[in-house]
Amino acid sequence: MKPTHIEHIGIAVQSLDEAIPFYEKMLGTPCYAIEEVAEQKVKTAFFKIGQTKIELLESTDPEGPVGKFIEKKGEGIHHIAFAVDNLEAHLKDAEQQGIRLIDASPRKGAEGLHIAFLHPKSTFGVLTEFCEDKK
Ligand code: CMX
């Protein structure tokens, strides 16, 4: 496994309407995209900081992963995403090292990326995402 960089940091928020203006001011850059990912039961908003993005996540369903996270832990950092060149190979490698996979094979995430999550119980409490941009 050898990620190339931190692709994004996901932050769970109650309300994008409240969080977007705050982050625009704090980061000094506009939110450049808002996208609903129905399969993940979230609405996302993106900011670019150098090579890395901040992804704000608002839940669209209390039973979705972000809805449950906020209910349990409150707003805050939800996951960290590493960019990789060969997602399938990284997943195989992770599995061989005994890391518990949430996604055994890649699926489509926001911004057309191919993504897969590793379970936080086998990554020292941090929900970890690998993502690959095939464009
Ligand atoms: N970070 C760290 N720990 C987390 C966590 C997170 N984001 N989400 C859940 N956990 C922990 C819980 O605190 C709980 O720990 P305890 O057992 O010690 O209390 C444990 O994981 C189980 O949590 P749960 O609330 O019972 O939730 P589930 O097991 O049903 O689901 C998880 C947890 C991680 C498997 C699920 O959230 C998941 O599949 N996540 C991946 C998909 C995702 O998060 N999508 C949203 C982002 C999409 C995007 O970026 O586009």
Side-chain angles (χ1 to χ4, degrees):
M1 286 184 280
K2 198 170 183 352
T4 55
H5 60 282
I6 294 174
E7 212 282 335
H8 66 265
I9 294 169
I11 300 176
V13 300
Q14 289 280 9
S15 159
L16 285 185
D17 285 346
E18 284 178 24
I20 288 172
F22 172 83
Y23 275 91
E24 285 185 329
K25 243 190 233 163
M26 188 174 76
L27 302 176
T29 189
C31 166
Y32 72 85
I34 294 179
E35 181 182 344
E36 181 163 347
V37 185
E39 193 199 320
Q40 295 289 316
K41 301 184 166 76
V42 288
K43 214 162 109 185
T44 62
F46 285 95
F47 303 82
K48 194 137 201 205
I49 310 289
Q51 216 181 350
T52 301
K53 297 163 193 160
I54 297 293
E55 177 188 34
L56 301 181
L57 299 154
E58 178 190 291
S59 179
T60 55
D61 179 340
E63 290 306 312
V66 172
K68 281 170 79 177
F69 176 86
I70 290 182
E71 174 68 26
K72 254 193 176 166
K73 302 193 189 210
E75 294 174 302
I77 293 182
H78 178 261
H79 67 270
I80 183 159
F82 296 101
V84 299
D85 281 337
N86 185 336
L87 181 52
E88 303 240 5
H90 275 73
L91 290 179
K92 259 192 209 131
D93 206 357
E95 196 170 27
Q96 272 164 11
Q97 293 188 34
I99 297 172
R100 186 170 153 199
L101 307 182
I102 293 174
D103 302 299
S105 53
R107 57 195 163 91
K108 278 278 174 74
E111 302 206 295
L113 296 180
H114 294 245
I115 67 167
F117 284 92
L118 312 181
H119 201 284
K121 291 293 175 194
S122 62
T123 51
F124 294 86
V126 178
L127 176 60
T128 301
E129 177 183 343
F130 283 153
C131 50
E132 181 176 13
D133 188 352
K134 294 207 176 192
K135 282 173 270 157

